[in-house]
Amino acid sequence: MKTRHARGRRSRGQSLVLACLSFLLLALMTTLSFNLSHALREKMSLQQHSDTMAYSMAVLEARSLNYYAVTNRAIAASYAAMTSVHGYMVAASVTGDMMTAGAWNFGIIAVEELAQCYPNLSHCAHAIEAGIIAGKYSQKANTYNNKVKNLESAFNKVIKNLNDMTDSLHSSQATVHMATRNALRGSGLDDLTDYNAPGASNVSAGVGGLNIKEFDCVVDGMDCQKAPSTDVKARARSMTEVSNATRPSWAADRSIPVLMNGIPTYLNNTFQKSLLKDIPSRGTHMGLGHSGTAKVVESMSGIHGNGQYGGNTGKMVGADEHGTLMQQWRDGFSAFPYKATLSSAQSGSEHKPGGAHSGQHTEFSGINTKQLSSCANSGNCFMKFRGIADPDEDWGQPHVYSYVTKQFFVGGGTKAPWELNSSGTMRFSHGAQGEGDLRLAPGEGAALSKALVYYHRLGKDGWKEAPSLFNPYWRAKLHPFKAPEAARVLGAAGNSEAGQIATGAEDLTL
């Protein structure tokens, strides 16, 4: 009897041990379940935050590129405005030379009349009268030349202000570029971190450096390992061609708006009446082949060339106005050419006729005369897109990366209830087999994201337009990783183990 009772007590003791082990396993499973839910929630929150960081930085970058496009248009418009002002000034200057052409015509007519004096003495009187008319034309030429000369100070001031405006616009581009570079390090986005994932790290310095390199590579002239910069002249030609294409039609071509007498309609009626009627009083007088233009040029020899004439780098702003004044009076006839030219440049500027000119037109410093790194405050530089002929580089459109980490384990006196203790681990001993640790709480989490800043004009054929920094159609979106790219970013972040894993997933899009 004693033996049976002892065995019963031992059986009941074994059941208690098994029950305790079961409860322990159940508690561990429950704790691990809480920990897994906590880890997943924190991981999703961190990944969403990383995506938000990448997208936000990409939006800032897209806005900067759109700002470059708008200000580049303003720079081109300032050059176009210079051509218009030169057109107005040369149109005013030609009035004096047209009067001078009239003086030459009547000087020749006087000689023609004088040649006919014998035996008809009336021609002698006509010669004297023609000489007097020639003198009147000369007086009017001086009057109009002096009027233009009085405008030169205001003209030079306008050109200087437009030139300074281009410098200021580029200076603002450089300021925006530096501010955007700082933002691409993740700095200034602390409020976003506090709202989305309190306690998460900033974008790592290595990844921020990649973002800055990507952004610099967009702008031709900035340092870029992926593609070389074009030279200063190539960049200058781009802006020169855009500026000349932006000119109003009047500045580009003044050969069309003429009256029946061949004198342009933009020369006022008082001048035309004086030139063709009041001074000669009789006869037939008209202009032939009047033409004029104004543009940004390499030299005045190319003023009538096409937009790419001689590799035009825009060293000067020039204007030209010319034609022929044909006059028939009594028994004489003459056709004498007239011409006015005007250019502004730091060297080699000109203003003809000389009677309408005083001083030098040196207020225009030329387009993109310096390397981009040395013209933050002067030099008429601008931001030009650097295309890269490689689809793997998205044709030079920049990428933006985010890599952030966060400690999921709370620990300490504020530990979460499922962490059990301050270390979040449990240690087990099993006799001769030794001891082991079981991690009950997640440790550090990491998240990796990528965004693409891309160019797209809305509309049916919007994708056919190549990226540029003259149209503000830059946008941002999240973008998938390719394995080698992810490995490169993880390496820059200092996570070599994750980088090795990504390297092994070469055929996958992450």
Side-chain angles (χ1 to χ4, degrees):
M1 292 295 293
K2 290 182 179 179
T3 303
R4 280 198 297 271
H5 287 305
R7 288 176 180 172
R9 286 195 295 270
R10 284 196 296 271
S11 299
R12 287 195 297 271
Q14 291 174 357
S15 299
L16 183 60
V17 171
L18 290 174
C20 290
L21 289 174
S22 297
F23 278 118
L24 177 60
L25 290 174
L26 182 61
L28 290 174
M29 290 175 63
T30 302
T31 302
L32 289 173
S33 177
F34 274 118
N35 288 339
L36 179 60
S37 298
H38 169 66
L40 289 175
R41 183 175 66 83
E42 290 291 326
K43 174 60 179 174
M44 290 174 63
S45 175
L46 187 63
Q47 185 61 55
Q48 289 173 348
H49 171 60
S50 181
D51 291 346
T52 303
M53 290 285 284
Y55 180 73
S56 298
M57 290 187 289
V59 168
L60 286 172
E61 190 168 329
R63 288 176 178 175
S64 296
L65 298 181
N66 285 331
Y67 179 77
Y68 299 162
V70 171
T71 46
N72 279 346
R73 283 174 168 236
I75 290 171
S78 70
Y79 296 143
M82 289 185 198
T83 62
S84 292
V85 174
H86 277 73
Y88 291 132
M89 191 65 172
V90 82
S93 299
V94 81
T95 57
D97 211 54
M98 291 174 79
M99 289 294 181
T100 299
W104 277 101
N105 279 339
F106 272 85
I108 293 171
I109 289 172
V111 172
E112 292 173 347
E113 292 286 355
L114 189 63
Q116 301 176 63
C117 276
Y118 183 82
N120 190 345
L121 296 180
S122 64
H123 287 291
C124 296
H126 295 164
I128 294 172
E129 187 179 356
I132 293 172
I133 293 173
K136 290 180 179 180
Y137 270 119
S138 293
Q139 290 176 357
K140 279 291 185 180
N142 290 333
T143 299
Y144 279 98
N145 284 337
N146 287 331
K147 287 182 178 181
V148 174
K149 190 182 296 186
N150 292 334
L151 296 174
E152 276 205 309
S153 176
F155 168 82
N156 289 334
K157 185 176 180 180
V158 169
I159 300 304
K160 182 179 186 304
N161 288 341
L162 287 170
N163 188 79
D164 291 345
M165 185 175 77
T166 62
D167 283 342
S168 297
L169 287 168
H170 176 68
S171 179
S172 73
Q173 289 180 335
T175 300
V176 168
H177 196 83
M178 291 304 298
T180 307
R181 287 172 106 252
N182 290 333
L184 291 174
R185 294 188 176 97
S187 60
L189 298 175
D190 295 339
D191 290 345
L192 192 63
T193 301
D194 293 340
Y195 183 81
N196 286 334
S201 68
N202 290 328
V203 174
S204 70
V207 174
L210 288 180
N211 290 339
I212 291 171
K213 290 178 181 178
E214 288 280 330
F215 185 46
D216 282 348
C217 278
V218 179
V219 180
D220 196 4
M222 295 284 186
D223 291 335
C224 177
Q225 296 178 348
K226 295 190 293 186
S229 297
T230 57
D231 61 17
V232 173
K233 291 183 178 180
R235 295 197 293 276
R237 283 194 291 270
S238 299
M239 179 58 82
T240 301
E241 291 170 18
V242 171
S243 301
N244 285 333
T246 309
R247 291 173 298 166
S249 57
W250 183 85
D253 185 3
R254 295 192 292 283
S255 62
I256 298 174
V258 295
L259 297 174
M260 292 300 292
N261 57 18
I263 301 300
T265 57
Y266 50 81
L267 297 178
N268 66 47
N269 292 334
T270 301
F271 168 78
Q272 294 187 52
K273 187 170 179 291
S274 177
L275 177 71
L276 305 178
K277 292 183 179 180
D278 291 348
I279 296 177
S281 73
R282 68 173 66 207
T284 301
H285 313 277
M286 62 186 300
L288 297 175
H290 187 95
S291 180
T293 189
K295 66 191 297 186
V296 185
V297 292
E298 186 79 2
S299 66
M300 287 300 290
S301 62
I303 190 67
H304 292 288
N306 59 36
Q308 298 179 350
Y309 179 83
N312 188 358
T313 62
K315 290 183 178 179
M316 61 175 60
V317 181
D320 168 271
E321 196 101 1
H322 65 273
T324 300
L325 182 62
M326 184 193 75
Q327 297 183 284
Q328 183 276 322
W329 185 85
R330 294 192 183 274
D331 297 311
F333 171 86
S334 179
F336 200 85
Y338 57 83
K339 184 179 180 67
T341 57
L342 172 65
S343 64
S344 294
Q346 285 192 321
S347 61
S349 61
E350 63 181 62
H351 191 164
K352 297 177 182 178
H357 175 52
S358 62
Q360 293 295 316
H361 303 300
T362 59
E363 292 75 17
F364 178 63
S365 58
I367 292 179
N368 212 86
T369 53
K370 299 179 182 179
Q371 291 290 348
L372 197 63
S373 59
S374 60
C375 67
N377 296 314
S378 64
N380 287 356
C381 295
F382 68 100
M383 299 301 204
K384 178 181 178 295
F385 176 71
R386 183 200 333 244
I388 298 176
D390 185 352
D392 289 336
E393 294 294 343
D394 291 304
W395 314 108
Q397 299 171 121
H399 310 130
V400 182
Y401 306 111
S402 172
Y403 178 85
V404 293
T405 61
K406 182 180 178 181
Q407 181 58 251
F408 294 160
F409 180 70
V410 179
T414 59
K415 65 180 182 296
W418 55 83
E419 292 177 355
L420 295 180
N421 56 40
S422 59
S423 65
T425 60
M426 289 189 66
R427 172 160 291 190
F428 295 90
S429 297
H430 193 267
Q433 295 184 14
E435 298 179 342
D437 291 333
L438 176 63
R439 180 79 181 182
L440 299 176
E444 185 179 70
L448 179 68
S449 302
K450 173 188 174 185
L452 176 68
V453 182
Y454 68 100
Y455 181 91
H456 178 214
R457 181 197 286 264
L458 293 177
K460 179 182 176 182
D461 297 324
W463 291 111
K464 294 182 180 180
E465 183 173 318
S468 77
L469 291 182
F470 282 100
N471 289 319
Y473 299 119
W474 288 93
R475 310 169 190 275
K477 65 176 181 177
L478 292 175
H479 206 63
F481 276 100
K482 293 182 180 178
E485 184 183 22
R488 179 166 60 90
V489 177
L490 289 167
N495 193 338
S496 57
E497 293 181 1
Q500 290 175 0
I501 295 173
T503 302
E506 269 189 53
D507 297 329
L508 298 178
T509 299
L510 305 178

